[in-house]
Amino acid sequence: MTTKIQVVFYSMYGHVYTMAEAVAAGAREVEGTEVTLYQVPELVPEDVLEKSGAKKAREAFAHVPIIRPEQLAEADAILFGTPTRFGNMAAQMRNFLDQTGGLWMKGALIGKVGSVFTSTASQHGGQETTLTSFHSTLLHHGMIIVGVPYSEQRLLTMKEITGGTPYGASTITDADGSRQPSENELAIARFQGRHVAQIAKRLKRGSA
C-alpha cells in the first residue's frame, strides 16, 4: 500500500525550493512512500523577474512541474512551502489555494495530512504567523495538521542563528537573500518530511 506524499512549494530565489528538496528527502526515508515535488504557478511578470534576478535563480527548479489544484486530491499528505510576505504566505501560494474551492465543495482533502514550511529574510520576520495562518486554510479543508514536535532536538539549538519552529521548518535568507539554508534548518526540514510521511502511512494503513 503506497502512501502518496506531495511537496508543493512556491520559491522566488530558491531558498524554499532547497527546503522542499530536504522535506521530500525526509519523506522518502519512509518505506512505502511515493513522494512528488510540485511548484505553484508564478504570477510576477517575466520582465520583473528578470530585473530582480529571480528569473536566473528560478532556473534551478524550472524542471519541477506546475501543480493543478485538482491534483491535491491524489495525495495522502501534502507539505506546503512558501516564503513569508509581511507575516503571511506569498501571493502565488494564496492564489493557488484560492482555486481549491471545488475540492472544498467535495470534501476532497478531508482527513489528509497537511503541513507547512517557510522562509523569512530576518530572524523574527513572521515565520510563525505565516505557518499558523496557513493552517487556517488547511483546517477549512478538513486536513489533519502536523508540525515539528520537540523530539526534533534541533529546534532547541542555541549555538547559532537558525530557523525551525514547532509549527514547521523554516529558514532565514538575510535581506539580500545571500544566506542559504543551514544544515540545522535542512535537518529539521528532513525531520518534518519524515514525520509527516510516517503519520500519513499509519493513517492510511489504519483506514484500509
Side-chain angles (χ1 to χ4, degrees), residues 46-47 168:
E46 284 287 311
D47 61 325

Side-chain angles (χ1 to χ4, degrees), residues 77-155:
I78 310 165
L79 295 108
F80 296 93
T82 176
T84 293
R85 299 289 186 260
F86 303 105
N88 284 286
M89 71 179 78
Q92 291 84 348
M93 183 61 74
R94 182 70 265 167
N95 177 265
F96 173 75
L97 292 173
D98 284 346
Q99 297 176 58
T100 61
L103 295 175
W104 175 80
M105 287 289 289
K106 293 184 288 188
L109 304 185
I110 292 174
K112 297 182 186 295
V113 177
S115 196
V116 190
F117 56 99
T118 192
S119 69
T120 56
S122 62
Q123 244 184 305
H124 306 290
Q127 292 182 0
E128 293 187 349
T129 57
T130 296
L131 295 167
T132 56
S133 62
F134 201 123
H135 290 165
S136 297
T137 297
L138 306 188
L139 287 168
H140 274 264
H141 273 293
M143 300 184 77
I144 300 166
I145 294 172
V146 173
V148 180
Y150 279 95
S151 55
E152 172 47 279
Q153 291 288 291
R154 294 176 184 88
L155 290 178

Side-chain angles (χ1 to χ4, degrees), residues 43-77:
L43 301 177
V44 177
E46 284 287 311
D47 61 325
V48 177
L49 291 173
E50 183 78 51
K51 290 175 184 175
S52 66
K55 186 173 181 179
K56 179 67 176 176
R58 288 173 56 80
E59 290 176 4
F61 50 94
H63 63 284
V64 179
I66 304 294
I67 192 169
R68 302 185 311 276
E70 61 269 22
Q71 288 178 274
L72 296 178
E74 300 168 4
D76 297 302

